Amino acid sequence: MSKKLVIVGCGSSGLITLKYALDELRDWEIVAYEASSKITGCWGRPPSGFVSTSTKYTTQFACYPLYDAHVRRDLSSASRSFQYPEFFCDGEYGEYLEKFANHFGLKKFICLNTKVSQLRRNSDGKWDLQLSHVSPPDVQSDQGSTEESIVCDAVVICTGLADAPKPLKAEAKVLTRLDFGDSIRNQKVVVVGGGESAVDVARRLAGPSLNNQVWLSVRTGIRVSPRYHPIRGVPSDFLRNRLLLSFDAGLRNVVGQRFVEFRMRFRKVLQRIFPANKKLRSSTQEENQYVRDQWALRLTESAKDSLFNMYHNKSDDFLGDVAEGRIRIIGGNSDPSYRRFYAFGSSDAMNIDPDLIVPAIGYASQLKALTNGEIAFRDFYLGIRHIEYPSLFIVGMTRPIIGNIPSISEMQARYIVFHLAKRLEETAVIKKIHHRNRIELERRFANLDTTNVYPVEMFPYCDQLAREMGCFPSLRKQRSPIQYIRTALSPATTMHYFNDKEMPSNSSPIFSPLLITLLLLLLKPLDWVIRACRSLSKVS
Ligand SMILES: Cc1cc2nc3c(=O)[nH]c(=O)nc-3n(C[C@H](O)[C@H](O)[C@H](O)COP(=O)(O)OP(=O)(O)OC[C@H]3O[C@@H](n4cnc5c(N)ncnc54)[C@H](O)[C@@H]3O)c2cc1C
């Protein structure tokens, strides 16, 4: 009898897991259960005016590349898709996922409107799942839901995080769903949090036609990274290359911090040394750019941790609203009822007395409810594989400091099917390694919640998975030294791990200026010394 694999949840993580499972586990029976009636997950219903923070080029799956790394931005156009053509606008990512599922014929393996309500390991070492089938929203039925139990050999949990925001108790009304359209008007609203969701919600609420008063409450600073960089005016994603990312994290934290402050203080100098082409120069941005940069600097300077030890916020358009006074930045709440707040960077409290509080302070995992509290996220090696139960996996709960989630999910999905196909070397000491990893994770990301999510630096993390899977883009793996140099200098992408016979060779443009490349090469010997010292201290 063939073994059975169940994928729970089918947004981008579930879809990519299904694709690799069908490719690699040909003698398995594979099925994905999706609670909603769509396969596009949380990206399938973005608010109007949505622009992604990671680029199409870096976010697409390496096994289904539709977008290149050329910059086509045209600021003279009024249309958003011309102003941000390198990013997913409105429903574009949902459309990409639809195309992906159709291209690989995935839909026939997905049961929509089927929620996995319970997951439990049985005495045979298999998994018992409780399913509840609900009627699709467009079908009238008085049956409610029907229940079913199934058994399977392995499970991959892909239930996502975005639908489970952490709750907050306040005296004012607390908004729990973010699909409010333009129904909130003439209100005093405090959005709590400094992440991308928080600033996006604050922007929507601060639209001039809504007449709301909007405050953004951040306990400490925010690391704001620009979507488009002053160097050459290209997406920041395109300047991040493997050479830059090959440096020791400590060294990157120190040098990177200096560079970020320099960028905020001397934007014009950078723009003059590394000019963008004409189409990318904006005159409208210049008007409030100075105030935006001052706020970015203030927020960055009071950020609570080193540059690459906390999440970066690339939804930087909110700084325009701050500069124009539509969003006011304040500190944390000074009373438990969220009526009074500190002024930003001060111990003086002020009365705001909001009508509405919008919490955007992170996510609560659904794992506890799904497994009756029996399985904890912290027991997943690399945020992927359970250390006790080798047939239980998670995809998509990794959160990159800078980067994107779908292409990390792709690496995780590949890792899991390699594991199930027994293509990975088993280690007998996984618990010991996991324990050491956890200590390091909790030390490094001490200010982040590591109980529900696994914070990572995207490429060092993907490199680790790639090394285990034997697809690290080393000099030996590349077709030629020239190809190796191109890979090191062109925009970093997970496609570099798939740079084998099946994939076209890397022909992306190189945006990183020669001067910066030379400076990095000069710094390289220092990096080697630091790495050697770290290895020696680990051995001793
Ligand atoms: C508006 C918006 C913009 C974003 N922009 C970016 C960006 O620019 N870059 C980036 O990297 N990330 C972005 N994200 C983050 C996004 O969460 C991830 O990139 C990624 O798409 C998550 O995919 P997922 O499949 O893991 O989770 P989801 O997309 O949330 O999918 C999970 C699926 O599981 C289903 N499910 C849940 N529980 C069950 C159950 N018990 N049984 C069956 N099915 C279940 C849900 O219905 C859902 O369809 C954005 C998110 C949102 C909401």
Side-chain angles (χ1 to χ4, degrees):
M1 247 172 69
S2 60
K3 287 189 175 178
K4 182 166 182 165
L5 170 71
V6 165
I7 296 165
V8 184
C10 211
S12 73
S13 300
L15 282 176
I16 192 69
T17 306
L18 179 59
K19 190 279 176 193
Y20 280 101
L22 292 169
D23 282 355
E24 288 284 334
L25 307 173
R26 292 190 179 256
D27 50 348
W28 284 60
E29 184 193 339
I30 300 161
V31 60
Y33 294 111
E34 166 53 46
S36 75
S37 55
K38 292 203 173 92
I39 52 140
T40 43
C42 66
W43 279 48
R45 35 177 203 282
S48 121
F50 168 73
V51 181
S52 67
T53 50
S54 52
T55 49
K56 291 175 176 171
Y57 176 67
T58 58
T59 308
Q60 64 190 335
F61 298 133
C63 65
Y64 190 57
L66 295 189
Y67 309 103
D68 62 28
H70 288 88
V71 182
R72 300 184 172 85
R73 190 179 201 202
D74 182 357
L75 283 169
S76 59
S77 164
S79 153
R80 201 172 37 249
S81 49
F82 282 101
Q83 289 193 357
Y84 297 98
E86 298 81 23
F87 294 85
F88 290 107
C89 296
D90 299 310
E92 282 181 334
Y93 188 70
E95 287 158 24
Y96 172 80
L97 290 181
E98 282 284 350
K99 276 192 205 158
F100 172 76
N102 290 333
H103 181 82
F104 292 107
L106 303 180
K107 287 188 176 166
K108 54 181 176 287
F109 300 94
I110 304 168
C111 297
L112 296 175
N113 304 303
T114 306
K115 183 177 175 163
V116 177
S117 45
Q118 205 53 240
L119 169 68
R120 181 167 287 145
R121 194 174 149 89
N122 66 27
S123 50
D124 301 332
K126 297 193 177 203
W127 296 94
D128 291 335
L129 274 78
Q130 190 67 32
L131 308 180
S132 74
H133 304 280
V134 290
S135 311
D138 51 345
V139 173
Q140 291 284 330
S141 162
D142 46 11
Q143 257 201 324
S145 64
T146 52
E147 302 287 319
E148 185 192 351
S149 302
I150 59 158
V151 180
C152 69
D153 299 272
V155 178
V156 188
I157 300 171
C158 302
T159 46
L161 286 165
D163 265 351
K166 269 190 194 160
L168 172 155
K169 273 194 186 143
E171 221 164 85
K173 188 175 163 201
V174 176
L175 198 71
T176 47
R177 292 213 56 94
L178 300 182
D179 46 358
F180 48 80
D182 56 4
S183 61
I184 298 168
R185 291 168 178 269
N186 309 315
Q187 307 267 315
K188 282 208 265 178
V189 192
V190 174
V191 180
V192 183
E196 284 166 1
S197 315
V199 302
D200 284 353
V201 172
R203 284 205 78 200
R204 282 162 59 203
L205 289 163
S209 64
L210 302 177
N211 198 31
N212 293 314
Q213 293 181 61
V214 181
W215 287 266
L216 183 70
S217 163
V218 288
R219 219 171 264 284
T220 56
I222 310 177
R223 294 243 168 238
V224 189
S225 276
R227 258 202 195 89
Y228 287 94
H229 205 278
I231 294 182
R232 306 231 152 118
V234 300
S236 301
D237 274 3
F238 292 179
L239 292 171
R240 218 167 292 121
N241 61 32
R242 292 196 61 82
L243 172 65
L244 188 73
L245 295 161
S246 69
F247 281 81
D248 172 80
L251 186 58
R252 255 181 307 129
N253 265 327
V254 174
V255 178
Q257 178 67 28
R258 304 280 174 287
F259 181 74
V260 163
E261 286 176 18
F262 180 87
R263 160 170 65 74
M264 288 166 179
R265 286 203 170 94
F266 303 106
R267 165 185 292 273
K268 285 200 172 148
V269 176
L270 277 181
Q271 282 172 329
R272 216 163 288 146
I273 306 176
F274 308 113
N277 73 37
K278 257 192 205 154
K279 274 187 169 178
L280 300 179
R281 285 179 220 155
S282 142
S283 53
T284 46
Q285 264 199 1
E286 297 290 324
E287 282 167 23
N288 59 25
Q289 194 62 59
Y290 178 74
V291 189
R292 286 175 62 139
D293 285 345
Q294 288 305 303
W295 263 109
L297 191 61
R298 271 187 80 184
L299 289 166
T300 290
E301 280 176 342
S302 46
K304 59 190 166 187
D305 212 332
S306 309
L307 188 63
F308 297 113
N309 291 5
M310 64 181 287
Y311 299 124
H312 287 218
N313 187 328
K314 281 209 290 168
S315 216
D316 62 337
D317 288 340
F318 83 100
L319 291 172
D321 298 69
V322 174
E324 284 164 24
R326 282 194 298 275
I327 297 177
R328 281 169 277 180
I329 297 198
I330 49 176
N333 53 312
S334 67
D335 68 340
S337 61
Y338 286 82
R339 293 212 162 275
R340 291 173 62 75
F341 292 81
Y342 293 109
F344 182 71
S346 152
S347 52
D348 297 338
M350 55 188 171
N351 213 23
I352 291 187
D353 218 357
D355 305 310
L356 197 62
I357 294 275
V358 186
I361 46 171
Y363 304 100
S365 163
Q366 301 178 41
L367 193 62
K368 221 174 169 183
L370 191 64
T371 63
N372 230 350
E374 283 170 16
I375 305 280
F377 179 69
R378 54 172 299 119
D379 292 333
F380 284 79
Y381 171 66
L382 296 177
I384 305 179
R385 174 189 160 189
H386 198 275
I387 48 163
E388 287 288 345
Y389 311 130
S391 55
L392 182 64
F393 305 89
I394 274 195
V395 173
M397 309 290 171
T398 306
R399 286 294 175 268
I401 294 306
I402 315 181
N404 72 82
I405 295 156
S407 66
I408 299 181
S409 293
E410 181 173 17
M411 293 298 286
Q412 296 177 324
R414 206 179 185 212
Y415 181 87
I416 289 168
V417 297
F418 272 31
H419 180 78
L420 290 171
K422 307 225 178 303
R423 284 180 60 178
L424 291 186
E425 250 176 60
E426 269 302 329
T427 163
V429 288
I430 188 165
K431 280 192 195 159
K432 205 167 145 194
I433 302 174
H434 176 69
H435 182 65
R436 236 186 7 230
N437 283 354
R438 282 299 310 183
I439 293 175
E440 173 54 19
L441 188 84
E442 283 161 26
R443 184 199 61 77
R444 178 162 179 201
F445 300 111
N447 289 310
L448 303 182
D449 177 8
T450 53
T451 54
N452 286 334
V453 292
Y454 195 89
V456 294
E457 271 209 82
M458 175 166 172
F459 284 96
Y461 173 79
C462 290
D463 281 355
Q464 186 176 355
L465 298 182
R467 281 200 176 89
E468 287 197 35
M469 290 188 279
C471 59
F472 180 75
S474 60
L475 180 53
R476 202 164 48 83
K477 278 259 168 199
Q478 303 281 308
R479 288 176 191 148
S480 67
I482 305 236
Q483 186 62 31
Y484 179 73
I485 294 169
R486 283 208 74 86
T487 301
L489 299 181
S490 57
T493 149
T494 47
M495 283 184 271
H496 292 152
Y497 303 115
F498 297 73
N499 207 351
D500 49 28
K501 282 173 224 105
E502 298 144 41
M503 299 288 291
S505 65
N506 177 14
S507 57
S508 309
I510 292 173
F511 294 102
S512 180
L514 185 63
L515 181 63
I516 292 191
T517 302
L518 291 175
L519 286 174
L520 290 175
L521 290 175
L522 283 176
L523 267 179
K524 213 45 188 146
L526 179 60
D527 178 52
W528 291 328
V529 172
I530 293 174
R531 280 175 187 279
C533 294
R534 281 203 205 283
S535 308
L536 281 177
S537 72
K538 259 187 202 158
V539 171
S540 63

